[in-house]
Amino acid sequence: MNKLLSLLLLLPLPVSSSELFHTSISMACMKEKECTAGVVEVDLEGQESETREILNYLKEIGVEVYKAVPQYFKKEFRAVYYSDDKLIFINAGYLYNKKDLLEVLRHEGWHVAQDCEAGFDSPELVPIYEYSEVPQKFKDDALMRYGFDPFVIKIETEAIWAMYTPKMTINELEKCKKVITYEQG
């Protein structure tokens, strides 16, 4: 499958092959690291200060961060965090400038913090804040983006809040790193 998807990335997409892209299948292929064409690890070099800090904490926690071509993502997916494998994949099609990368890293890094809060072995992320503490504008934004699923809204509302709030993700990842260090030593 890897060779087929790699070849298709180089060719124009005929209608019949487009069903291989923008699907759960293509996302799983990327997650399993079987589809590697157009997937690169996000590099610290040349990044803004907060971006570097987030990437450093993620690395210390054991989370790998990659940028990938849009074909691997379901439509409108900007990024995804796979908690079971500690992998973040960012859709390169939404990265127009350094601010975009920072916002995506804040958002997905927040999901890592929620995973840490759950204990990393839990199958689900957990909210860090009480829902009532989250500013209303982020609740409204989450509702527009994700629809009304009470659990998803609680998780995503916090991540949207973190996405627009400098250092919020860094502070939680720092706490997570301390917990991991304490547990290991």
Side-chain angles (χ1 to χ4, degrees):
M1 184 188 221
N2 185 20
K3 290 179 184 176
L4 174 63
L5 284 172
S6 298
L7 178 61
L8 289 172
L9 283 171
L10 301 173
L11 302 171
L13 283 177
V15 176
S16 61
S17 66
S18 65
E19 63 193 42
L20 292 174
F21 294 120
H22 305 292
T23 65
S24 297
I25 294 169
S26 59
M27 289 185 72
C29 185
M30 179 176 59
K31 175 187 176 195
E32 298 302 322
K33 296 186 177 179
E34 293 174 6
C35 296
T36 58
V39 178
V40 295
E41 192 164 7
V42 176
D43 190 357
L44 287 172
E45 194 171 315
Q47 302 296 345
E48 300 293 324
S49 174
E50 187 176 355
T51 300
R52 279 195 319 273
E53 245 183 295
I54 292 171
L55 287 168
N56 275 326
Y57 275 119
L58 292 172
K59 185 175 183 176
E60 290 173 5
I61 292 167
V63 177
E64 298 173 41
V65 182
Y66 298 92
K67 284 190 287 189
V69 294
Q71 291 90 330
Y72 292 131
F73 295 86
K74 288 182 180 180
K75 296 223 185 278
E76 298 184 21
F77 269 56
R78 294 177 189 262
V80 62
Y81 169 56
Y82 291 109
S83 59
D84 55 338
D85 292 327
K86 288 189 173 176
L87 295 169
I88 293 174
F89 290 97
I90 301 169
N91 185 336
Y94 287 99
L95 299 178
Y96 303 109
N97 55 50
K98 291 182 180 193
K99 181 182 174 212
D100 295 334
L101 177 60
L102 174 58
E103 288 178 354
V104 169
L105 283 172
R106 285 174 179 164
H107 184 106
E108 298 306 324
W110 190 263
H111 289 318
V112 173
Q114 291 170 325
D115 194 18
C116 184
E117 185 78 13
F120 283 120
D121 294 328
S122 173
E124 293 185 357
L125 308 179
V126 298
I128 295 171
Y129 288 94
E130 291 294 324
Y131 189 68
S132 61
E133 295 178 83
V134 180
Q136 187 62 45
K137 68 180 181 179
F138 301 117
K139 294 175 185 178
D140 295 341
D141 191 343
L143 193 57
M144 280 186 356
R145 291 174 191 240
Y146 301 102
F148 188 74
D149 175 328
F151 178 75
V152 171
I153 290 295
K154 286 180 181 179
I155 296 301
E156 293 298 341
T157 296
E158 287 185 359
I160 292 169
W161 183 15
M163 179 170 70
Y164 294 117
T165 307
K167 305 288 185 179
M168 186 171 167
T169 298
I170 288 172
N171 293 337
E172 286 304 317
L173 291 175
E174 182 179 26
K175 290 177 192 174
C176 179
K177 174 64 176 139
K178 286 179 182 176
V179 169
I180 291 170
T181 302
Y182 177 77
E183 290 173 353
Q184 290 175 347

